Amino acid sequence: MSQWLELQQLDSKFLEQVDQLYDDTFPMAIRQYLSNWIESHDWDHVANVENESLATVRFHDLLTQLDHQHSRFAMEKDFLNQHNIRKIKRNLQTLFQDNPVSMAMIISKNLSEERKILAAAQISENTAQSAQSDMMIEKQRELDSKVKEIKTKVQETEQNIKNLEDLQDEHDFKSKTLQSQEELNGTISREELSREKLYLKAMFMKLHDMRGGVVSQMSEVLNLVEQLEYELITVELCEWKRRQQMSCIGGLTNVCLDQLQNWFTAAGECLLQVRQQLKKLLELEQKYSYSHDPIALSRGTLEERALTLLKTLITNSMVVERQPCMPTQLQRPLVLKTGVLFTLKVRLLVKLQEFNHMVRVKVHFDKDVTEDRKGFRKFNILGTAMKVMNMEESIGMAAEFRHLQLKERKVAGNRTSEGPLIVTEELHSFTFEAELCWSGLVINFETTSLPIVVISNVSQLPCGWASIMWYNMLTSEPKNLSFFVNPPSVSWGQLSEVLSWQFSSITKRGLNSEQLSMLGHKLLGPKASNDPEAQIPWNKFCKGGSERNFTFWLWIEGILDLIKRHLQSLWDDGCIMGFVTKERTKALLSNKAPGTFLLRFSESNRDGAITFSWVEHTLNDEPQVRSVEPYTKKELSAVSLPDILRNYRVMAADNVPEDPLRFLLPDTPKDEAFQKYYSKPTDKHEPMDVDKKQDEGYIRTTLISVSEMKTSEFNDNIMPLSPEVYGELERIVTRDLSGGIGELCRGFSDAC
C-alpha cells in the first residue's frame, strides 16, 4: 500500500497534520494525482544541491506527469480539474523553473513529515497494546524477583545449616570433654568446671536459637514457594492456556513455554533442596535432641508441607504443548479425521534432571466421559499410546505421540437418528495419565487436551473447524463436551477478530476495518454491523443452510480456499479489496476516472469466486458501474486472474473490442499494478526431429475473456465472436503474445 493511501486511512486529527504540509507553493492536488510517481523516486537524493541536473530532470518529469493527468481529465470532460491542472503547472514553472532543487527539497521534506505522521499514528494505535505489553514485562520482572528471593533464602538456609552443624559438633565435643573431666575427679578445679558449664550452657542457648532460626527460615521459604506456586498455577498457567486457545484458532499470541518452565523448574529445584535440607536436620536431630527442640517440633510439619507443595507443583505442571493435529492441517488443529495419522505433545514444566525417564505418560480417549452419551460416537486409539518423558526430544521434559489414529467403534443402532448433535458438533478429548516414580516417591497426575472434533470425511472439515473456533472463542473450560447442546452466542467484536485471524494465518494480510464492516453488515444488517457487542447465534454463523442458501462460514471458507489456491500474492499485496458490497462498489467507483476498477469476492457463490467491477461514463457523462460474471476456481485453474485482467475485452459498438480496465482503485495503472504477476511467454523448444517442418506443429493459443456490450442491455451473456472480431482480437493480442487466439467468453452479472 502506498504511503499516500495509508495517510488517507488515518483519523481526522492526523489528516489535519497532513493538510498543514501543503499550500499553494506545492498543492496537495499534485500529491494526490501523482502519488505513485512521487513515491517511486528518492527525493532526498534529488534534493542535494550537488544534484541540480537531476533535480531539473525530475522537475520536467513532474510537468510531463501533470500533462498526462490533464489529458485524462480532458477524456473525462472534467473542465474544472483541467483548469486546476493548468494553473498548478503555471505556478510550478514560475516558482521552480530556475531553482528545481527547491521543489525537490519541499517534496523530500513533506514525504519525511508524512512518515513521521504515520509513525505517530502507529504509536497511538499501539498505545493500549504497548501498555499491556509493559504490564506483562513488569509481571515477569516481579516473578523473576520472587524466584531470585527464594533461591537466595534457600542458599542462606544451606549455609546456616552448615554453621549449625559446626556449632552442634563443637557443642557435642565440649559436652563430652566436660563429662569426661567430671568423671575424672581432680583433673580440673571446681571454678574451671563451673566456667566450662556456663560456657557450655551459653553454647546450648546459641545452638537452640540457631536451630529455631533455621526452622523459621525454612518455613519462610516454603511460604514464599507457596505464594509463587499459587501465582504460577492460577494466573500464569491459566493465561498461557488461554493464549494457546487463541493461537489454535489463528491468533498471533505468545505460546512459548520457556519462561513458564523456568519458573516452575526454579520452584521445583528449591523444593528438592529444602527436602534435602530437612534430611540434614533429621541427621542433626538424631545426633542430638532435647526437650522443646525446634527441629523435633517442626521438622515433620515442614516435611509434609514441602512434599505437598512439590506434589501440587508437579501435578499442575503437565501441559499439552502441541494440541492434536493432522500433519496436513497444521493451521487447523483439533479437527481429526478417522484413519489419518495425527500428532500431539505433552510437556512437564518442572524440568529436573532427576526426573528424566522417570515419568510415564499414557493417552486415553474420552476418559472422563463416564456416562453413556446416547448417540455419540466412540473411538479407539491406534498406535503407541504410552511414552516415557525424556529431555532429549526437546528443550523441555516432553513426550511426543507422532503416529496415532482414531478408529470408530461399531455400535448397534443408527447413530444419526439417535444423536442430539451432528458429527461436527460432537466434542471429544484426550486425557494424559502420568506417573512419576522417583526416590521412593510415586505421584500420579493427568491433564486434558482441548476438545476436538472427529470427522470421517474431508468435506466435514470446514464445519468442524467452525465448531473449534466457536468453542475456543467462548470458553476456557476444557471438559465442556456438551457445549453444542446449547451453544451460546458470540459478540461481533470477538468474531470479527477471529475472522481476521483466519486470513492472516494463511496469508500475510488479515481483514481491515472496512472489510470487517461489510461482513458485519452481511451478518447483522446495517444497524448492528458497527456494534461490537451485537450478538451472533451459532445457527446463523454455521449450522443449517443448503446448496442455494449456504451459511456465512461456508461462504468465508470458500473464499479462503480460493485465495490459498489462486490469489495469495494478489491478496498479500493488497490488490484485492475483496469484501465490498455492490452498493459500496458503486460509491467507490462513481467519482473515479473511466476504467477504474476493483476486485471483490462474489456474495452468491458458496465455493468462492471473484469478480471485477469498473466504472464507465454514458453519453450523458453519467457514471455506470459494471461487474463481470464471477470467476471460480475452475476458470482460475486454466487462466490466472492477472492474465484475465490483462487480456479482458468488451465488444462495444460496431464490434470494436476495447479494454475497459485502466486503473486499479484508486488510480494505479493496471499494468503497473499487475505487471509482475503476468505470465511470461515460454521459450521455444528446439524440435527433436530436425527434418520436421515447423508449420506442422500446433498453433499456440491464449485464453482471453470477452464480454459483449449492447446499447439496450448491458448484462447479456457473451455472444459467439464473428470472424471479423476474431481477426481484430488476434491483431491486438499478437503484440504481446505470438500464436493464435482462443476465446473464453464471459458475461455480465448483477448477482456477483
Side-chain angles (χ1 to χ4, degrees):
M1 185 182 295
S2 69
Q3 180 172 307
W4 186 245
L5 192 56
E6 286 186 58
L7 286 166
Q8 294 178 58
Q9 296 179 358
L10 299 180
D11 292 338
S12 58
K13 64 178 181 180
F14 296 107
L15 291 177
E16 290 174 6
Q17 297 177 34
V18 176
D19 183 61
Q20 294 172 8
L21 298 177
Y22 296 93
D23 53 24
D24 292 339
T25 305
F26 193 84
M28 188 183 290
I30 301 177
R31 185 68 176 95
Q32 170 71 24
Y33 298 142
L34 308 183
S35 60
N36 290 329
W37 180 83
I38 289 174
E39 292 178 29
S40 66
H41 297 290
D42 184 357
W43 292 98
D44 293 339
H45 179 64
V46 179
N48 192 318
V49 292
E50 298 178 358
N51 297 327
E52 185 174 357
S53 58
L54 178 59
T56 303
V57 171
R58 290 288 175 262
F59 173 71
H60 289 290
D61 286 347
L62 186 143
L63 296 181
T64 302
Q65 292 292 325
L66 289 177
D67 289 337
H68 292 163
Q69 189 64 39
H70 182 273
S71 299
R72 294 192 188 103
F73 289 141
M75 291 176 60
E76 299 168 16
K77 298 180 181 179
D78 189 339
F79 177 74
L80 178 61
N81 277 322
Q82 289 180 64
H83 169 78
N84 291 338
I85 285 289
R86 285 195 297 267
K87 183 178 178 181
I88 289 171
K89 183 178 178 181
R90 285 196 300 268
N91 289 343
L92 290 178
Q93 288 173 321
T94 302
L95 292 169
F96 304 118
Q97 184 80 45
D98 299 328
N99 189 11
V101 174
S102 296
M103 185 195 74
M105 293 174 68
I106 290 173
I107 297 176
S108 173
K109 177 178 177 296
N110 286 355
L111 289 174
S112 176
E113 291 300 318
E114 287 177 3
R115 287 191 288 270
K116 291 179 181 178
I117 292 171
L118 283 172
Q122 186 66 41
I123 292 172
S124 176
E125 183 180 344
N126 294 336
T127 299
Q129 297 178 357
S130 177
Q132 185 177 5
S133 177
D134 290 343
M135 287 177 61
M136 290 182 64
I137 292 173
E138 183 61 30
K139 186 189 291 186
Q140 289 182 5
R141 286 175 180 166
E142 289 178 5
L143 285 169
D144 286 338
S145 176
K146 289 180 180 180
V147 168
K148 184 177 180 181
E149 181 184 4
I150 293 172
K151 286 183 174 181
T152 301
K153 288 189 176 296
V154 169
Q155 293 306 316
E156 289 175 357
T157 304
E158 188 78 21
Q159 184 60 48
N160 289 338
I161 290 176
K162 289 180 180 179
N163 295 338
L164 175 62
E165 184 178 18
D166 292 341
L167 182 61
Q168 181 168 316
D169 287 343
E170 184 181 358
H171 177 271
D172 183 60
F173 175 77
K174 290 287 186 182
S175 177
K176 289 180 178 178
T177 301
L178 184 61
Q179 183 179 357
S180 63
Q181 288 175 341
E182 284 182 328
E183 291 175 353
L184 298 174
N185 293 327
T187 58
I188 185 172
S189 66
R190 297 177 65 87
E191 291 80 6
E192 288 181 0
L193 185 61
S194 296
R195 284 198 301 271
E196 287 295 328
K197 285 184 177 181
L198 288 173
Y199 179 74
L200 189 62
K201 187 174 182 180
M203 186 180 289
F204 171 79
M205 295 300 297
K206 184 178 179 181
L207 180 66
H208 177 79
D209 291 342
M210 188 175 287
R211 283 192 167 199
V214 167
V215 167
S216 297
Q217 199 169 19
M218 295 184 76
S219 180
E220 184 183 357
V221 167
L222 292 180
N223 289 337
L224 292 174
V225 171
E226 188 173 15
Q227 294 171 14
L228 176 65
E229 249 187 43
Y230 179 81
E231 192 165 353
L232 291 179
I233 294 170
T234 61
V235 180
E236 296 299 323
L237 186 57
C238 288
E239 288 181 0
W240 178 87
K241 288 181 178 180
R242 187 58 184 162
R243 291 198 302 272
Q244 187 191 43
Q245 282 187 275
M246 297 301 100
S247 175
C248 283
I249 57 176
L252 299 176
T253 57
N254 179 17
V255 291
C256 179
L257 280 168
D258 294 350
Q259 183 63 73
L260 201 55
Q261 177 178 272
N262 290 339
W263 291 328
F264 268 84
T265 301
E269 288 173 341
C270 290
L271 287 173
L272 291 186
Q273 198 167 351
V274 167
R275 282 170 57 83
Q276 288 299 115
Q277 291 170 354
L278 287 170
K279 288 182 179 179
K280 190 64 181 177
L281 290 186
L282 175 61
E283 292 178 10
L284 295 178
E285 180 189 351
Q286 290 173 341
K287 288 180 180 178
Y288 177 68
S289 186
Y290 51 88
S291 177
H292 303 296
D293 180 1
I295 294 179
L297 292 174
S298 304
R299 183 183 52 78
T301 302
L302 292 175
E303 285 180 346
E304 187 177 344
R305 282 190 66 196
L307 180 59
T308 300
L309 288 172
L310 182 63
K311 286 182 176 180
T312 302
L313 187 72
I314 291 173
T315 54
N316 287 279
S317 69
M318 187 167 68
V319 296
V320 183
E321 180 178 1
R322 188 186 306 139
Q323 295 290 338
C325 180
M326 296 185 291
T328 55
Q329 298 290 335
L330 295 177
Q331 291 160 338
R332 292 191 168 180
L334 303 171
V335 181
L336 306 180
K337 182 178 179 295
T338 53
V340 175
L341 293 177
F342 63 90
T343 64
L344 45 83
K345 183 178 181 180
V346 290
R347 188 197 281 201
L348 193 69
L349 295 177
V350 181
K351 181 188 174 184
L352 298 174
Q353 187 63 44
E354 293 90 336
F355 294 167
N356 195 20
H357 299 290
M358 296 295 176
V359 182
R360 294 196 310 167
V361 184
K362 186 174 183 179
V363 57
H364 300 269
F365 190 81
D366 280 350
K367 171 180 175 289
D368 295 325
V369 181
T370 54
E371 76 280 6
D372 184 16
R373 297 192 296 177
K374 185 178 181 182
F376 279 58
R377 297 167 299 162
K378 297 180 180 180
F379 297 89
N380 293 323
I381 299 177
L382 304 182
T384 305
M386 180 176 287
K387 288 253 183 172
V388 175
M389 281 192 171
N390 62 79
M391 298 172 68
E392 283 76 26
E393 289 189 3
S394 68
I395 59 174
M397 182 86 68
E400 186 170 7
F401 298 84
R402 297 177 180 173
H403 305 291
L404 300 180
Q405 296 181 52
L406 291 178
K407 183 178 181 181
E408 186 175 358
R409 295 186 210 168
K410 299 299 180 182
V411 294
N414 186 348
R415 192 207 69 82
T416 56
S417 63
E418 297 176 356
L421 300 174
I422 60 175
V423 166
T424 54
E425 292 179 345
E426 268 189 28
L427 296 180
H428 305 269
S429 68
F430 291 98
T431 300
F432 303 89
E433 288 184 338
E435 183 179 73
L436 168 64
C437 300
W438 169 75
S439 187
L441 189 65
V442 177
I443 302 176
N444 292 294
F445 50 100
E446 65 178 43
T447 192
T448 307
S449 73
L450 289 172
I452 65 167
V453 170
V454 183
I455 60 175
S456 55
N457 191 294
V458 72
S459 64
Q460 298 167 331
L461 179 60
C463 290
W465 180 242
S467 297
I468 294 301
M469 286 193 297
W470 204 264
Y471 183 94
N472 288 286
M473 273 191 289
L474 292 168
T475 181
S476 56
E477 170 55 50
K479 298 182 180 180
N480 186 8
L481 302 184
S482 299
F483 177 82
F484 283 102
V485 171
N486 185 24
S489 298
V490 69
S491 70
W492 170 238
Q494 285 178 287
L495 182 59
S496 61
E497 183 178 30
V498 174
L499 285 175
S500 182
W501 291 347
Q502 304 316 298
F503 287 82
S504 60
S505 64
I506 65 169
T507 70
K508 296 177 182 177
R509 188 164 69 98
L511 301 178
N512 60 33
S513 57
E514 190 168 347
Q515 291 166 330
L516 289 170
S517 178
M518 180 270 184
L519 296 179
H521 184 281
K522 190 176 181 69
L523 266 176
L524 298 163
K527 293 184 178 179
S529 59
N530 294 320
D531 179 9
E533 298 303 320
Q535 296 297 305
I536 300 164
W538 167 244
N539 288 352
K540 193 169 186 178
F541 178 73
C542 183
K543 193 170 183 178
S546 62
E547 285 296 323
R548 297 186 63 182
N549 185 27
F550 45 86
T551 63
F552 175 85
W553 169 247
L554 289 182
W555 174 63
I556 293 289
E557 174 69 15
I559 291 171
L560 284 167
D561 190 55
L562 180 74
I563 292 174
K564 189 164 58 174
R565 292 175 184 270
H566 302 293
L567 306 172
Q568 185 151 345
S569 295
L570 294 177
W571 176 264
D572 287 345
D573 291 344
C575 297
I576 299 174
M577 185 166 288
F579 297 104
V580 53
T581 62
K582 287 183 288 185
E583 294 75 17
R584 179 63 177 157
T585 298
K586 291 178 181 178
L588 289 169
L589 295 176
S590 292
N591 62 347
K592 296 297 180 182
T596 303
F597 67 98
L598 59 81
L599 304 175
R600 64 186 182 87
F601 298 120
S602 167
E603 295 180 58
S604 58
N605 192 300
R606 166 179 169 162
D607 297 322
I610 191 167
T611 182
F612 45 86
S613 302
W614 72 91
V615 64
E616 59 185 38
H617 287 197
T618 65
L619 295 176
N620 298 327
D621 204 27
E622 294 180 358
Q624 190 162 16
V625 175
R626 306 190 184 283
S627 298
V628 75
E629 185 181 337
Y631 290 86
T632 64
K633 297 167 195 171
K634 181 179 179 181
E635 286 96 9
L636 295 178
S637 297
V639 187
S640 70
L641 184 61
D643 286 344
I644 290 172
L645 296 171
R646 174 173 61 171
N647 298 323
Y648 181 75
R649 300 290 184 270
V650 295
M651 302 304 296
D654 301 323
N655 278 344
V656 177
E658 294 182 356
D659 180 1
L661 310 177
R662 298 173 58 197
F663 307 104
L664 179 66
L665 190 75
D667 56 4
T668 307
K670 179 178 70 174
D671 287 340
E672 182 181 322
F674 297 99
Q675 181 75 44
K676 64 180 179 180
Y677 306 112
Y678 293 157
S679 298
K680 296 177 175 58
T682 55
D683 296 331
K684 264 190 173 181
H685 297 288
E686 290 294 329
M688 296 296 293
D689 186 356
V690 295
D691 296 326
K692 188 174 182 179
K693 295 181 180 180
Q694 293 294 320
D695 58 0
E696 288 182 0
Y698 292 110
I699 297 174
R700 288 190 299 158
T701 63
T702 299
L703 295 176
I704 66 172
S705 296
V706 183
S707 297
E708 182 182 22
M709 297 279 291
K710 290 186 178 181
T711 56
S712 58
E713 293 179 75
F714 294 99
N715 293 315
D716 283 354
N717 289 328
I718 309 241
M719 301 298 292
L721 298 184
S722 66
E724 292 80 11
V725 176
Y726 186 91
E728 178 65 20
L729 286 173
E730 185 177 38
R731 284 191 293 277
I732 293 172
V733 177
T734 50
R735 288 179 298 184
D736 300 318
L737 298 171
S738 60
I741 300 176
E743 64 270 15
L744 174 64
C745 297
R746 309 291 301 170
F748 292 110
S749 173
D750 286 330
C752 299

